[in-house]
């Protein structure tokens, strides 16, 4: 998600740190608003008058219906309300919403196939349990899968996942490549990716859609590609977004991995300021995480090619096509992509009527330069270079645990269509 200028963020963080000294940051009393940013009354960000506001998300739906989601510290709520901006309240207490996510869950029992049971999707989990989950899922499907590693994070954690294949054997088909949790706080993304893994592994012998997909493509799935940030979001700061990379000549920590790819690097929708949440880095690929993903993608592209790439995010309920770095140019196959995305969105809506928008990211959400899907499209020759923003536009990043399974179910319906018809 797009975030604020350095001025806004630094001011808000100083307040948060003071409130959270000696323990985990809580965000108690922070109020979350959705502002109608199309209204002249909302005006430019300068109208916030220097209030230490955290911008959570910008843009839902079409560019003609722009909104801005912000969190306001408790000591500044009255001052913000006095601005009389056109806004609705999404949460009266962000800290209470975080607490309502519940504790991180216990590891589930394995069924008779060695697969962790569906109770895994009843709660969020510690990073170490995710690693355990991938190992158990792979072991239960040992003849058609292997554990893989793309590289290492800044703090030395492996960027790992699973490679799955069908009846023709491994490395025999074009690639479908997924990555989740590039942004640390978007916990539901890795859970949904794991739900897709669960359905593939348990459904291959009986579901013709799964058989068709896995027999036609090799799947490469990296559920958590920002493990350092993900761990930090669980232990210290729930809304952490970037990686945990330190750099010389600045005390600011972290780079936005999804602004560090070479295509469009340094353009609009990214920042050269290390304090910004969209800090792109100083050079394309100068985060170890992006460098590892670039090398991994190029290996796939040089082998059998990449048919589909999906970078999983939350929250906006939108299927993002290339491009994000420009609103004026489009991939040559954009009409076909839009047609497939439209039907994918229709299938996602079937279980719970959850509406997903779709289209080029710069048009339907916001401009974002140096992102992964644009690199996959232009530099890795991917036919469908996508990003998918999951539910929900009302809960934001703090999606209650009882929303994990429904999110997985609806996305599964869309993926079954997409894999057979792309």
């Amino acid at each position: 998600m797009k975030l604020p200028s350095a001025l806004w963020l630094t001011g808000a963080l100083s307040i948060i740190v003071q409130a959270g000294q000696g323990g985990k940051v809580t965000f108690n009393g922070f109020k979350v608003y959705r502002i109608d940013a199309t209204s002249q009354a909302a005006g430019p960000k300068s109208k916030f008058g220097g209030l230490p506001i955290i911008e959570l998300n910008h843009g839902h739906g079409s560019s003609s219906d722009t909104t801005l989601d912000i969190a306001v510290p408790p000591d500044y709520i009255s001052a913000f309300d006095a601005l009389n901006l056109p806004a609705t309240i999404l949460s009266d207490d962000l800290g209470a919403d975080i607490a309502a996510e519940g504790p991180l869950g216990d590891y589930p029992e394995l069924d008779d196939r060695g697969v962790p049971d569906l109770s895994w999707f009843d709660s969020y989990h510690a990073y170490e349990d995710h690693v355990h989950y991938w190992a158990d899922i792979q072991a239960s499907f040992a003849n058609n899968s292997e554990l893989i590693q793309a590289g290492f994070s800044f703090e030395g954690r492996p960027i790992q996942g699973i490679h799955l294949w069908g009846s023709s054997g491994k490395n025999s088909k074009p690639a479908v490549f997924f990555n989740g949790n590039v942004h640390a706080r978007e916990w539901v993304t890795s859970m949904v990716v794991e739900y897709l893994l669960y359905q593939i592994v348990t459904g291959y012998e009986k579901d013709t859609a799964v058989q068709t997909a896995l027999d036609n493509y090799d799947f490469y799935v990296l559920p958590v590609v920002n493990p350092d940030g993900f761990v930090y979001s669980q232990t210290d700061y729930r809304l952490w977004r970037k990686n945990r990379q330190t750099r010389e000549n600045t005390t600011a920590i972290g780079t936005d991995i999804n602004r560090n790819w070479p295509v469009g690097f340094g353009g609009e929708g990214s920042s050269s300021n290390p304090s910004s949440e969209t800090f792109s880095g100083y050079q394309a690929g100068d985060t170890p995480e992006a460098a590892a993903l670039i090398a991994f993608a190029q290996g796939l592209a040089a082998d059998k090619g990449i048919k589909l790439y999906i970078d999983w995010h939350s929250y906006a309920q939108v299927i993002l096509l290339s491009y994000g770095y420009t609103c004026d140019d489009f991939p040559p196959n954009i009409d076909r992509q839009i047609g497939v995305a439209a039907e994918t969105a229709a299938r996602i809506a079937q279980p719970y009527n959850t509406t997903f928008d779709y289209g080029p990211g710069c048009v339907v959400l916001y401009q974002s330069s140096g992102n992964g899907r644009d690199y996959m499209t232009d530099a890795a020759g991917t036919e469908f270079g996508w990003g998918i923003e999951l539910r929900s536009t009302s809960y934001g990043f703090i999606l209650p645990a009882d929303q994990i399974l429904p999110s997985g179910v609806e996305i599964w319906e869309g993926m079954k269509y997409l894999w057979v018809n792309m």
Side-chain angles (χ1 to χ4, degrees), residues 156-184:
R157 293 181 176 88
I159 299 170
Q160 56 193 317
I162 304 177
H163 170 206
L164 309 98
W165 58 85
S167 58
S168 298
K170 72 175 183 178
N171 302 323
S172 62
K173 300 292 183 180
V176 170
F177 178 19
F178 291 167
N179 63 242
N181 260 124
V182 68
H183 290 148

Side-chain angles (χ1 to χ4, degrees), residues 52-304:
I53 287 167
I54 300 176
E55 184 182 340
L56 298 176
N57 189 16
H58 176 218
H60 293 286
S62 68
S63 57
S64 63
D65 184 24
T66 303
T67 59
L68 183 67
D69 295 355
I70 63 169
V72 181
D75 291 345
Y76 293 85
I77 290 172
S78 295
F80 174 79
D81 288 341
L83 297 175
N84 292 317
L85 298 177
T88 57
I89 297 170
L90 297 184
S91 171
D92 286 310
D93 189 341
L94 180 59
D97 292 344
I98 292 172
E101 283 184 316
L104 298 179
D106 296 328
Y107 199 80
E109 297 290 331
L110 304 184
D111 64 19
D112 55 6
R113 301 162 295 183
V115 178
D117 67 41
L118 278 171
S119 65
W120 173 259
F121 302 101
D122 291 342
S123 59
Y124 295 102
H125 298 274
Y127 174 70
E128 293 78 9
D129 283 348
H130 283 278
V131 176
H132 188 182
Y133 185 87
W134 309 332
D136 281 342
I137 281 284
Q138 187 277 323
S140 73
F141 200 55
N143 292 332
N144 293 81
S145 69
E146 63 183 353
L147 295 174
I148 56 174
Q149 183 173 312
F152 290 91
S153 68
F154 179 78
E155 293 178 344
R157 293 181 176 88
I159 299 170
Q160 56 193 317
I162 304 177
H163 170 206
L164 309 98
W165 58 85
S167 58
S168 298
K170 72 175 183 178
N171 302 323
S172 62
K173 300 292 183 180
V176 170
F177 178 19
F178 291 167
N179 63 242
N181 260 124
V182 68
H183 290 148
R185 62 193 177 191
E186 297 169 14
W187 290 1
V188 72
T189 63
S190 49
M191 298 298 297
V192 166
V193 168
E194 288 163 351
Y195 184 80
L196 300 180
L197 283 172
Y198 175 91
Q199 290 292 351
I200 291 171
V201 167
T202 60
Y204 182 64
E205 293 185 357
K206 59 186 178 182
D207 189 323
T208 57
V210 175
Q211 291 168 1
T212 299
L214 209 54
D215 287 347
N216 286 322
Y217 303 103
D218 277 42
F219 281 67
Y220 300 84
V221 181
L222 302 174
V224 180
V225 297
N226 181 9
D228 301 346
F230 183 68
V231 169
Y232 189 71
S233 74
Q234 293 187 327
T235 60
D236 288 77
Y237 187 90
R238 176 63 184 86
L239 292 180
W240 189 261
R241 168 186 169 95
K242 300 185 286 184
N243 74 356
R244 294 292 297 165
Q245 186 170 357
T246 57
R247 295 177 181 269
E248 294 182 356
N249 302 318
T250 180
T251 59
I253 295 175
T255 302
D256 185 347
I257 300 167
N258 204 39
R259 300 295 185 274
N260 192 235
W261 297 74
V263 171
F265 177 79
E268 291 295 321
S270 67
S271 174
S272 61
N273 185 339
S275 295
S276 170
E277 291 283 56
T278 56
F279 175 50
S280 62
Y282 296 131
Q283 296 180 358
D286 70 357
T287 62
E289 296 87 357
L293 294 173
I294 290 166
F296 187 76
Q298 285 300 330
L300 297 180
D303 188 9
K304 301 296 186 299

